[in-house]
Amino acid sequence: MSDQDPIAVFLNEAAEMLEQVESGLLDLTRRLDDKEKIDAVFRGLHTLKGSGSMFGFDALAAFTHHCETAFDRVRKGDVPATQELVAAVLAAQDHMRALLDTPNGDHDALSATLLATLQEAVNGSDTAPATPVKSTASVAAPAPQVKSGETTWTIRFQLPANAMANGTNPLGLLDELRELGKCRIVADTSTIPSFDLLNPTDMHLSWNVTLTTAKPRSDIEDVFIFVMDDMELTISEMPSALPHPTEKAVAETAPGVSSPKAIERDAPQPVVAANDSRQNKVAENVKVPAERLDEMMDRVGELVIAQSRLTQIAGAGADLGLRSVSEEIERLSGELRDTMMVLRMMPVASLFGRFRRLVHDLSRETGKEIELVTEGETTEVDKTVIDRLADPLVHLVRNSIDHGLEVPQDRIAAGKPAKGKILLSAQQTGGEVIITIKDDGRGINRERVRAKAESSGLIQPGAVLADQELLQLIFQPGFSTAATVTNLSGRGVGMDVVKKTVEALRGAIEVISRPGEGSEVSLRIPLTLAIIEGLLVRVGTGCYVIPLSAVEECLELSLEEDLRSRGRSFISLRDSLVPFLRLRELFHTGTSPDQHQKVVVVSTGSERVGLVVDQIIGDHQTVIKSMSKLHDDVVTFSGATILGDGSVALILDVTQLVAAGQQQEAQLRAAG
């Protein structure tokens, strides 16, 4: 038996369903006549209503029923889909989340307001829900009288054995059939096993229903749409030439009698018949709490450390059997590590999808016409990275809309389309992902940034700054160029949080802005925060790890070349000059250089830099351990790892290291 709380499972599934409904509604804003999306939204609301009622969220079920009824009218063509209707259901959807989070709260006033807006959006039509029919025992009813325009259907269905355990209530399905028209329902108990073999949690009943209704066949199919894949279902139209079943016929289908099969045999070819092979199919997806993945990742990390130590011990000895076992464990731990990494990876589409609603709401709030374009949604990133990037990206998108994009009349006057454009893109380069937020607005006003920085004391008046240094000032705490405080910006809170979050992820931010053309902010983020491939090097008596994704090549630097390069710190690499940093001097090791030093050429995205080390030890599977709070100011290291002999090696942050090296070189030149 599963130890998961059914309510918790329902809340997770309801949250996912609300996301799907929101996605469908936002798709409709682009194309209001998309019948597929209309049907998808209706099905989502229908499921949410039924599940909420089943698990005791009555207020949610009652409120959602109004939205479902409104979209049912759109689906049937009674009323058209409009932007106002979509906006009303989006607002109602936010209220549904509140009803999920606080089901016992006082929501009546807001519910009434939202439903009034919804009713107005559907042209004042009455969208009040029909009075629900209470579930009753399955008894034989008088034979329905068929009126003009009505059709009689015979329906037989049997749910899978685990239906009740999975939260499917057959009485709810029967109630929905009753709402379609006059029903005669007979339960078939012929498959119930003897008492000693009975499992009380399994579903053993099947049902035979005779339904007379003016509704189309599709409405009957909609009743079973969410359980159809796992059940046995037959829907057949009863020919008008055949006499309708009498009370005697109903009596003959009492429990234990197999006459329902005779009805199925004489009926025309079933319209809907679920594939029998699906009944016992294995679930293709298994939901696992994120905490369990994190725990598993920690265990895999410890295994990699233990395996590294075993490899070192086996390599130092002469026991061939131990060495063979060590190699096998190394192979298995490597495969387990790779598998675990894949389990933690998620496409950035799950991150980008959240901004469609944000852009839609801000467009209505600011009066700006905005088009959101996404690229590279299939790029995968560690789940932890995606979770921690959500808030920074919200700040950046809001900033682009408020400060970057102009109102339609200003854009037209500047020769631009009235509709502004926000581009969210992601691409993988080596061991990192570059996420870019780009707009085609007015760009960053450098004069205003400088004036604000000087008035705030961030820079001296008239100070000479490179363009990138000036643009990076927008990430200073409390910095804002907004003239007034609005709901969107003006308090100087947000951009500094963006920078801190990205740096905590061992990432970097680059800003490009062209006056009158727009701005582009790029976040360079590592693919994962748990285990990386690293290059283990020695500098003096200490060992360090350089992320292998940043390494381009390794060269030898002799003592003579080292002496000749004093004062210029450049090496010639295939007809190009590459600057290099002596890590021995940067880290103040106080040791003499090895006779044959090595240069590890790394890429920081925009440039290549060489790092001079004493020895290259080799590749190393690096389990990243976070630095303590006491080392927050040490920016040149992104973490530490434990080597096979139990010693600690620091992991170099290449971007910060190069920046620190350049600053040191500048100080040396100024002192000289």
Side-chain angles (χ1 to χ4, degrees):
M1 296 291 291
S2 172
D3 58 354
Q4 284 189 296
D5 181 8
I7 299 297
V9 173
F10 161 71
L11 291 174
N12 287 333
E13 293 182 349
E16 292 179 3
M17 186 58 62
L18 283 171
E19 288 181 4
Q20 293 175 17
V21 169
E22 181 178 279
S23 177
L25 289 168
L26 293 172
D27 286 337
L28 278 176
T29 61
R30 299 180 180 179
R31 187 178 165 191
L32 292 170
D33 60 347
D34 191 333
K35 190 176 185 306
E36 235 179 82
K37 297 301 179 185
I38 292 172
D39 289 343
V41 171
F42 170 77
R43 288 195 298 269
L45 294 170
H46 180 76
T47 301
L48 191 62
K49 180 196 73 171
S51 300
S53 177
M54 184 183 305
F55 286 94
F57 289 77
D58 296 332
L60 171 69
F63 181 81
T64 306
H65 188 81
H66 291 267
C67 300
E68 177 201 17
T69 303
F71 254 85
D72 190 36
R73 297 188 63 191
V74 175
R75 190 173 65 120
K76 294 176 178 177
D78 296 341
V79 296
T82 62
Q83 295 288 358
E84 290 72 21
L85 175 60
V86 172
V89 179
L90 279 172
Q93 184 214 19
D94 292 337
H95 187 55
M96 294 174 199
R97 287 194 171 96
L99 291 171
L100 279 172
D101 296 336
T102 56
N104 298 322
D106 184 10
H107 302 287
D108 293 343
L110 183 55
S111 294
T113 301
L114 291 171
L115 291 179
T117 304
L118 179 64
Q119 184 171 349
E120 183 180 349
V122 289
N123 301 322
S125 300
D126 183 13
T127 57
T131 303
V133 180
K134 300 295 183 182
S135 300
T136 58
S138 297
V139 296
Q145 300 298 316
V146 181
K147 300 179 182 178
S148 177
E150 291 184 338
T151 305
T152 299
W153 304 87
T154 58
I155 306 163
R156 184 177 190 278
F157 69 93
Q158 181 171 6
L159 296 170
N162 60 353
M164 296 291 285
N166 289 339
T168 301
N169 187 346
L171 296 181
L173 301 175
L174 295 174
D175 284 346
E176 291 189 48
L177 289 175
R178 288 190 181 96
E179 292 179 4
L180 296 179
K182 297 179 180 178
C183 271
R184 182 169 53 254
I185 302 171
V186 177
D188 183 355
T189 60
S190 60
T191 56
I192 297 179
S194 58
F195 185 78
D196 57 330
L197 299 177
L198 180 67
N199 185 345
T201 64
D202 284 352
M203 171 70 67
H204 300 288
L205 296 174
S206 60
W207 283 268
N208 298 279
V209 181
T210 303
L211 171 65
T212 300
T213 178
K215 302 289 186 181
R217 181 177 62 244
S218 59
D219 282 22
I220 303 176
E221 296 171 4
D222 283 348
V223 172
F224 303 98
I225 192 167
F226 301 109
V227 292
M228 190 177 293
D229 286 346
D230 299 319
M231 66 183 296
E232 293 180 4
L233 173 65
T234 302
I235 303 175
S236 305
E237 181 179 350
M238 182 177 291
S240 57
L242 293 178
H244 292 299
T246 61
E247 293 294 331
K248 180 180 178 181
V250 174
E252 291 175 353
T253 59
V257 182
S258 59
S259 58
K261 296 186 179 295
I263 297 176
E264 181 180 345
R265 183 180 63 248
D266 297 335
Q269 183 67 25
V271 177
V272 177
N275 191 340
D276 292 340
S277 63
R278 294 182 179 179
Q279 183 173 354
N280 299 317
K281 69 177 183 179
V282 179
E284 297 178 356
N285 297 296
V286 177
K287 294 182 180 179
V288 179
E291 294 79 8
R292 294 187 182 179
L293 286 180
D294 293 338
E295 291 176 6
M296 180 72 92
M297 196 71 223
D298 290 340
R299 302 297 182 272
V300 172
E302 297 300 326
L303 176 62
V304 170
I305 293 174
Q307 171 265 315
S308 178
R309 186 170 184 182
L310 176 61
T311 300
Q312 186 171 347
I313 294 174
D319 190 336
L320 295 180
L322 178 61
R323 187 173 299 180
S324 175
V325 172
S326 171
E327 292 174 354
E328 182 67 12
I329 291 179
E330 181 176 1
R331 179 184 66 82
L332 293 174
S333 65
E335 292 177 354
L336 180 60
R337 177 206 62 187
D338 294 340
T339 301
M340 195 64 220
M341 298 292 289
V342 171
L343 289 178
R344 289 173 58 96
M345 303 299 273
M346 293 178 60
V348 295
S350 61
L351 178 63
F352 287 178
R354 307 178 190 182
F355 296 97
R356 300 176 62 201
R357 174 68 184 278
L358 175 67
V359 171
H360 172 272
D361 291 348
L362 291 181
S363 176
R364 295 175 65 90
E365 180 180 339
T366 61
K368 298 177 181 179
E369 298 181 25
I370 308 171
E371 177 187 8
L372 176 65
V373 179
T374 57
E375 295 179 355
E377 299 96 328
T378 57
T379 304
E380 292 189 333
V381 191
D382 190 290
K383 178 190 178 299
T384 305
V385 174
I386 285 183
D387 291 342
R388 293 169 67 177
L389 276 182
D391 288 341
L393 285 182
V394 167
H395 286 301
L396 291 172
V397 171
R398 291 170 68 95
N399 198 66
S400 291
I401 292 174
D402 188 37
H403 292 289
L405 297 182
E406 311 94 333
V407 294
Q409 53 267 33
D410 290 346
R411 292 182 61 85
I412 293 173
K416 298 180 180 180
K419 180 179 289 187
K421 182 177 179 181
I422 299 286
L423 171 66
L424 277 176
S425 66
Q427 61 174 332
Q428 180 180 342
T429 58
E432 63 182 8
V433 169
I434 302 176
I435 297 178
T436 303
I437 303 92
K438 183 178 180 181
D439 65 72
D440 63 348
R442 60 174 64 92
I444 298 176
N445 189 320
R446 289 165 172 79
E447 288 75 16
R448 188 179 296 176
V449 170
R450 173 178 285 277
K452 181 66 176 180
E454 290 177 354
S455 64
S456 303
L458 295 175
I459 60 174
Q460 294 298 322
V464 179
L465 296 177
D467 188 62
Q468 190 62 219
E469 292 176 322
L470 181 65
L471 294 177
Q472 288 288 333
L473 290 174
I474 65 176
F475 297 104
Q476 292 296 320
F479 191 92
S480 176
T481 59
T484 59
V485 176
T486 66
N487 290 335
L488 288 181
S489 61
R491 301 187 185 276
V493 178
M495 297 301 281
D496 62 317
V497 176
V498 171
K499 185 174 184 180
K500 289 179 181 177
T501 303
V502 171
E503 289 178 347
L505 291 171
R506 306 196 316 275
I509 305 178
E510 298 174 1
V511 182
I512 300 174
S513 183
R514 303 176 183 85
E517 297 181 16
S519 302
E520 179 178 329
V521 180
S522 297
L523 313 180
R524 307 181 71 92
I525 307 294
L527 279 175
T528 179
L529 304 177
I531 300 178
I532 62 171
E533 289 287 351
L535 184 67
L536 187 62
V537 300
R538 180 178 61 81
V539 179
T541 58
C543 290
Y544 303 87
V545 175
I546 304 174
L548 201 57
S549 59
V551 176
E552 289 195 352
E553 56 185 301
C554 300
L555 308 170
E556 185 170 329
L557 180 69
S558 66
L559 182 59
E560 293 77 11
E561 290 175 323
D562 186 23
L563 293 173
R564 284 199 302 270
S565 64
R566 290 290 176 179
R568 59 188 183 93
S569 298
F570 281 94
I571 58 172
S572 178
L573 181 61
R574 289 187 290 277
D575 299 328
S576 64
L577 292 178
V578 176
F580 66 84
L581 303 172
R582 296 176 175 85
L583 296 186
R584 187 179 62 259
E585 296 177 359
L586 195 63
F587 297 159
H588 304 288
T589 62
T591 59
S592 301
D594 281 18
Q595 184 176 1
H596 299 286
Q597 299 177 83
K598 305 295 187 295
V599 180
V600 181
V601 180
V602 297
S603 172
T604 62
S606 57
E607 58 182 335
R608 292 190 302 169
V609 178
L611 304 177
V612 178
V613 302
D614 289 323
Q615 181 187 4
I616 296 176
I617 299 175
D619 293 349
H620 186 267
Q621 291 184 13
T622 305
V623 179
I624 300 174
K625 300 293 184 181
S626 300
M627 305 283 279
S628 72
K629 294 294 184 182
L630 298 175
H631 299 90
D632 282 346
D633 57 338
V634 184
V635 296
T636 52
F637 304 110
S638 59
T641 188
I642 302 174
L643 303 179
D645 60 359
S647 62
V648 175
L650 296 175
I651 303 169
L652 302 184
D653 187 324
V654 174
T655 303
Q656 296 291 342
L657 183 66
V658 170
Q662 291 172 341
Q663 183 178 2
Q664 186 185 69
E665 289 288 334
Q667 292 173 352
L668 291 174
R669 291 194 188 97

